[in-house]
Amino acid sequence: DSRLLVSSFGCSPETADIEFRFTLDQAMDKGDNLAHHLIQSFKPGEVDYETAHKIGKQLADEVTGGKYEYVLTTHIDRRPYP
């Protein structure tokens, strides 16, 4: 789908796995939590794909506080909602 709804911060989506590993290797105190996996969903017709992606980016920016890399993807392989 031409990766239309993929965003990232502090890394490249194409090499994020390598970059995340590098960050982890450089961490002084790794602690118990090494990553977060956030999932958001909407009711049918609640938002379109682009709006869902924009809301997801706002959420990721808020959660990471501009301190941590992330890759954000929005599924567009589901039935589109007007």
Side-chain angles (χ1 to χ4, degrees):
D1 293 332
S2 301
R3 302 174 60 131
L4 296 176
L5 294 176
V6 176
S7 298
S8 64
F9 174 81
C11 64
S12 169
E14 294 80 15
T15 58
D17 59 331
I18 297 166
E19 294 177 71
F20 292 166
R21 172 54 61 188
F22 179 78
T23 298
L24 182 60
D25 290 344
Q26 300 304 309
M28 297 291 275
D29 178 20
K30 294 181 177 125
D32 293 333
N33 187 16
L34 303 180
H36 291 283
H37 183 182
L38 305 175
I39 299 172
Q40 69 176 7
S41 60
F42 299 94
K43 294 178 183 177
E46 191 171 8
V47 297
D48 59 29
Y49 297 130
E50 290 79 13
T51 301
H53 192 78
K54 181 178 177 181
I55 292 168
K57 184 161 179 6
Q58 291 170 342
L59 175 62
D61 287 340
E62 184 176 318
V63 168
T64 62
K67 297 178 184 178
Y68 307 101
E69 306 110 322
Y70 68 79
V71 174
L72 169 70
T73 62
T74 300
H75 287 272
I76 59 172
D77 59 345
R78 307 289 192 263
R79 177 172 56 93
Y81 302 122

